[in-house]
Amino acid sequence: MVGGELVLAALVILLALLLTLVLSHFLPLLLNPKAPKGSFGWPLLGETLRFLSPHASNTLGSFLEDHCSRYGRVFKSHLFCTPTIVSCDQELNHFILQNEERLFQCSYPRPIHGILGKSSMLVVLGEDHKRLRNLALALVTSTKLKPSYLGDIEKIALHIVGSWHGKSKDKGMVNVIAFCEEARKFAFSVIVKQVLGLSPEEPVTAMILEDFLAFMKGLISFPLYIPGTPYAKAVQARARISSTVKGIIEERRNAGSSNKGDFLDVLLSSNELSDEEKVSFVLDSLLGGYETTSLLISMVVYFLGQSAQDLELVKREHEGIRSKKEKDEFLSSEDYKKMEYTQHVR
């Protein structure tokens, strides 16, 4: 009888702790009279799965469209195991970004920290974030000032376009290219070249790309660390990328005076960063430019293809500049400045 009472008491305590945990988790938004309208969805899962549902790039997606129509452009939800306020209001978002580190603090949901790593610029806060951000801006500026910067980009673009010959899906005589995927390869290759000095054809580049794709698939996924889930694969892929980059860093250090003049050389010359922060810098660079750059390029090409007149004007401008250069001569920054119509299209 005593044993049964002890089990019952233990269950009551466990339920009380669970209730306390749930209430402390949700109460900040439930009891706040100024909190926007919305719903929390299922226990634990919240509305994460609906939020992650794929949608076309030129739409908000069914989740945001439905919630904006029901609750307004600012609403509460439960995403990635965290009570969340979602804003689709342009003015509010601008205000938040303008007041970062003053009225608002940039952060990601806790489970995503396991993928990004504790030293990522996207995770650290306060003075550490400011230090890393300022250093990142200085590094990016110094990289873009390199005389070979535009030449490297042009070589990679020619390499990507050259790989299209003979690579097609069999649809009669028509070559079908998934341009968005090619744009991703281009963005990745440019970043890896500028950051690590690696060319697209090097085996280690393909190895990093494979791991990075697994990392990207799991970055925005339900945070459940069970072997085989996208989240678990992303955490493991991040560890492999970290190991690969550390190997490249050690190899570069052992080379002594070898200087490739890339982003990594500048990182290695900095005494402000630990090795873990340097690895995170590399991953942040890939993360920051990969999806955003490739999507922007794809959208520009898509909309340019809808206007024959604009496409013809862009082609005419480029052909005019190319006609004044030698066969194997790369474009310069002066050539880029002459692309006045292209600048408007971009």
Side-chain angles (χ1 to χ4, degrees):
M1 191 71 179
V2 175
E5 290 175 351
L6 287 174
V7 171
L8 183 60
L11 284 173
V12 170
I13 293 172
L14 185 61
L15 286 172
L17 288 172
L18 184 60
L19 183 61
T20 302
L21 182 64
V22 170
L23 287 175
S24 64
H25 189 65
F26 288 104
L27 278 179
L29 283 183
L30 285 172
L31 298 182
N32 190 337
K34 295 182 180 179
K37 297 177 181 178
S39 63
F40 287 130
W42 295 93
L44 184 63
L45 291 174
E47 298 185 297
T48 306
L49 297 181
R50 280 197 63 198
F51 176 75
L52 294 175
S53 297
H55 61 85
S57 300
N58 58 350
T59 70
L60 283 174
S62 60
F63 174 82
L64 292 179
E65 287 174 352
D66 174 60
H67 280 62
C68 285
S69 64
R70 291 169 63 186
Y71 307 116
R73 300 191 70 79
V74 180
F75 58 88
K76 65 183 176 185
S77 183
H78 191 265
L79 304 172
F80 301 102
C81 304
T82 307
T84 306
I85 293 177
V86 179
S87 171
C88 297
D89 184 270
Q90 185 175 345
E91 290 185 10
L92 176 58
N93 294 342
H94 180 75
F95 176 77
I96 291 171
L97 292 172
Q98 290 297 310
N99 287 280
E100 186 181 335
E101 296 299 331
R102 290 195 292 270
L103 301 177
F104 301 92
Q105 198 168 53
C106 175
S107 67
Y108 276 77
R110 181 62 58 182
I112 294 181
H113 292 203
I115 299 179
L116 295 175
K118 64 180 182 179
S119 299
S120 171
M121 186 167 55
L122 302 174
V123 170
V124 297
L125 302 172
E127 288 302 316
D128 285 336
H129 176 77
K130 188 181 296 184
R131 174 176 62 88
L132 293 177
R133 183 179 59 192
N134 291 339
L135 186 56
L137 290 172
L139 289 169
V140 170
T141 300
S142 65
T143 301
K144 287 187 175 181
L145 290 175
K146 287 195 312 175
S148 62
Y149 180 68
L150 284 176
D152 288 339
I153 293 176
E154 187 174 355
K155 288 177 188 174
I156 291 168
L158 291 172
H159 174 82
I160 296 290
V161 173
S163 70
W164 296 351
H165 297 293
K167 184 179 74 174
S168 64
K169 294 180 180 177
D170 210 1
K171 287 190 178 182
M173 299 297 292
V174 180
N175 288 346
V176 179
I177 301 294
F179 185 80
C180 192
E181 292 302 316
E182 299 302 309
R184 287 191 177 106
K185 290 179 186 176
F186 170 73
F188 177 85
S189 297
V190 169
I191 297 168
V192 167
K193 175 64 177 176
Q194 297 305 316
V195 174
L196 296 174
L198 299 174
S199 300
E201 59 272 10
E202 293 187 53
V204 68
T205 304
M207 185 170 66
I208 294 174
L209 176 58
E210 183 180 352
D211 286 330
F212 186 70
L213 291 176
F215 172 85
M216 287 300 295
K217 286 179 182 177
L219 179 62
I220 306 298
S221 64
F222 190 76
L224 189 64
Y225 192 91
I226 295 177
T229 62
Y231 181 81
K233 288 180 180 178
V235 173
Q236 293 159 6
R238 201 269 179 197
R240 290 194 298 271
I241 294 173
S242 176
S243 177
T244 301
V245 173
K246 284 179 179 177
I248 294 171
I249 289 174
E250 284 304 312
E251 186 179 334
R252 188 73 65 89
R253 278 178 177 153
N254 293 336
S257 60
S258 176
N259 192 318
K260 294 188 177 183
D262 53 25
F263 190 87
L264 187 58
D265 275 339
V266 182
L267 273 181
L268 290 174
S269 66
S270 172
N271 296 321
E272 297 180 46
L273 299 172
S274 65
D275 278 0
E276 191 58 42
E277 286 176 326
K278 289 172 183 175
V279 171
S280 288
F281 246 91
V282 173
L283 198 59
D284 288 347
S285 300
L286 289 169
L287 182 61
Y290 176 76
E291 199 69 48
T292 52
T293 303
S294 60
L295 180 59
L296 178 60
I297 293 172
S298 300
M299 295 296 281
V300 167
V301 170
Y302 172 79
F303 287 114
L304 193 58
Q306 308 301 306
S307 173
Q309 181 182 357
D310 290 325
L311 178 59
E312 182 58 33
L313 288 170
V314 169
K315 286 172 65 178
R316 194 181 305 166
E317 183 174 73
H318 289 196
E319 288 168 355
I321 293 172
R322 171 49 65 188
S323 66
K324 298 174 183 177
K325 303 185 77 66
E326 298 294 330
K327 182 180 178 181
D328 296 323
E329 187 181 357
F330 289 113
L331 294 171
S332 67
S333 58
E334 293 304 314
D335 295 322
Y336 182 72
K337 291 174 184 176
K338 292 175 185 176
M339 298 179 184
E340 295 181 5
Y341 193 77
T342 302
Q343 300 285 348
H344 289 298
V345 172
R346 179 175 64 83

